Amino acid sequence: MSEIRKVGVIGCGLMGRGIAQVSAASGYPTVVREVNDGLLEAGLGAIRKQLDRGVEKGKLEAADRDATLERLSGTVSLEDLTDCDIIVEAIVEDIEVKKDLFGALDRQCPDGTIFASNTSSLTVTEIAASTNRPDRFVGLHFFNPVPVMKLVEVVRTGATSSATFDRAFAFARSLGKVPIACMDNSGFVVNRLLVPYMLDAIRAYEEGIGSIEDIDTGMKLGCGYPMGPFILGDFVGLDTLYFIAEIMFEEYREKRFAPPPLLKRMYLAGYHGRKTGKGFYDYSGEEPVVSKFVTK
Ligand code: 3HC
């Protein structure tokens, strides 16, 4: 099994920056690419802030923070990823954009480079088919917040070679994560179970079974979940949840994956959760309060 010496990450948004941080912290020279300098600087700045917070809390040595940052570089040029042994893509969930990106990478990278997509719901098989190396293509699905969540789903398509799967699995483990093997079905393991649960919580609310806060408290304290389904929906992003649900409904054609009307309206109205400051909860004050959009 050939060694992974250098890691490329494409996208320095919420997921990409977490993956780049974890990769550099695990000892890999890591280069992360964004489409422009503004987005790149925002992503790298967030990583620095995260690492500084670790030092302030006494969870990370200042020397380790500095070494991590030294291993991390940013670029706006795809060519700077040519010598990476594995490239993990974490860009917008748009199949055509991903296919174009991997088509370009396929033309420029050596045969040995493994390609991985962090897609949460698109078909890895379809993205891999845009390259001439579907045997060296996997899904590597991380969870938000990446530095904290231990799981990585390693997704094998019908075309993925065993050697590639094993390398990607070992790579995920070398990041300090716990990898699990998944088939390339929409949602893999976690979203296949989590998304219908979150959608069902919205339906339960629409049916008047409980208030937003009571349903959240119920699942938090009754099941020991770190967050109730509505707080979690706001955390994941209601735009993301809506898109994933649409894709999963399209794949399985089962009602349990269909986005409820309320979710669609919140998405359309710009209530995307924490990232827009309002979702099921309003985040403009000290503590989140249930948003007026859902109580009227
Ligand atoms: N980035 C990095 N680190 C973060 C963070 C962030 N956004 N938010 C919190 N943390 C770290 C904190 O620094 C802290 O680290 P420390 O213990 O070393 O100091 C640790 O997480 C705990 O944070 P807090 O004490 O502030 O807060 P909580 O104890 O409430 O934990 C949480 C926050 C880890 C987010 C916890 O609430 C949780 O696990 N929530 C569920 C998250 C979840 O389910 N994620 C999966 C979403 S689904 C998904 O990603 C798939 C996608 O395809 C949709």
Side-chain angles (χ1 to χ4, degrees):
M1 209 189 290
S2 55
E3 207 194 333
I4 301 225
R5 286 152 307 187
K6 186 170 178 185
V7 175
V9 178
I10 302 194
C12 202
L14 198 60
M15 299 304 282
R17 73 179 63 143
I19 298 167
Q21 179 185 325
V22 166
S23 169
S26 304
Y28 294 107
T30 303
V31 51
V32 57
R33 185 259 188 180
E34 249 308 345
V35 284
N36 62 48
D37 288 322
L39 289 175
L40 181 63
E41 202 29 60
L44 291 174
I47 296 175
R48 276 185 225 112
K49 205 165 144 193
Q50 189 67 33
L51 293 171
D52 285 343
R53 202 172 300 149
V55 174
E56 277 160 30
K57 282 185 178 174
K59 305 244 172 191
L60 182 70
E61 294 293 332
D64 290 336
R65 173 200 55 197
D66 297 345
T68 296
L69 290 173
E70 236 163 72
R71 283 189 288 266
L72 185 65
S73 61
T75 182
V76 292
S77 161
L78 266 195
E79 277 74 42
D80 289 337
L81 278 74
T82 305
D83 60 344
C84 292
D85 301 298
I86 187 165
I87 297 179
V88 187
E89 164 272 317
I91 63 167
V92 57
E93 285 283 84
D94 180 319
I95 190 78
E96 295 308 325
V97 180
K98 288 193 200 275
K99 281 163 126 180
D100 284 351
L101 172 78
F102 277 113
L105 285 172
D106 192 38
R107 287 187 289 277
Q108 78 178 45
C109 290
D111 285 348
T113 311
I114 293 180
F115 290 172
S117 175
N118 178 57
T119 185
S120 52
S121 52
L122 296 173
T123 311
V124 179
T125 308
E126 187 179 355
I127 311 171
S130 65
T131 71
N132 288 312
R133 64 181 82 203
D135 53 324
R136 282 150 284 154
F137 203 113
V138 288
L140 273 185
H141 184 218
F142 292 80
F143 292 81
N144 182 25
V146 178
V148 180
M149 304 305 282
K150 294 294 276 183
L151 188 72
V152 176
E153 292 178 316
V154 186
V155 183
R156 149 190 262 156
T157 77
T160 308
S161 72
S162 295
T164 299
F165 180 82
D166 291 346
R167 278 183 83 192
F169 202 86
F171 171 66
R173 195 170 269 150
S174 74
L175 299 179
K177 302 294 182 194
V178 178
I180 60 169
C182 299
M183 272 171 57
D184 181 31
N185 276 8
S186 186
F188 315 130
V189 170
V190 173
N191 281 339
R192 170 80 164 66
L193 299 174
L194 182 66
V195 170
Y197 154 70
M198 289 164 77
L199 301 178
D200 215 23
I202 301 172
R203 289 187 196 106
Y205 171 68
E206 286 180 314
E207 288 165 18
I209 287 170
S211 68
I212 299 271
E213 283 153 313
D214 282 351
I215 294 172
D216 268 350
T217 302
M219 296 312 293
K220 205 173 150 180
L221 300 186
C223 296
Y225 292 175
M227 292 171 161
F230 297 105
I231 281 274
L232 180 61
D234 282 354
F235 181 72
V236 166
L238 299 183
D239 52 341
T240 305
L241 180 61
Y242 176 69
F243 284 133
I244 296 178
E246 283 282 49
I247 291 169
M248 291 180 76
F249 182 63
E250 176 67 25
E251 169 120 334
Y252 297 111
R253 316 276 166 123
E254 288 178 35
K255 198 179 165 202
R256 65 198 162 116
F257 298 107
L262 176 61
L263 177 62
K264 181 172 177 180
R265 273 142 193 83
M266 294 181 78
Y267 161 66
L268 292 172
Y271 282 68
H272 295 175
R274 277 205 205 174
K275 67 176 93 168
T276 55
K278 54 193 182 174
F280 288 106
Y281 292 85
D282 185 312
Y283 297 88
S284 54
E286 288 266 295
E287 290 291 324
V289 290
V290 173
S291 152
K292 293 220 167 56
F293 194 93
V294 284
T295 48
K296 265 184 210 155

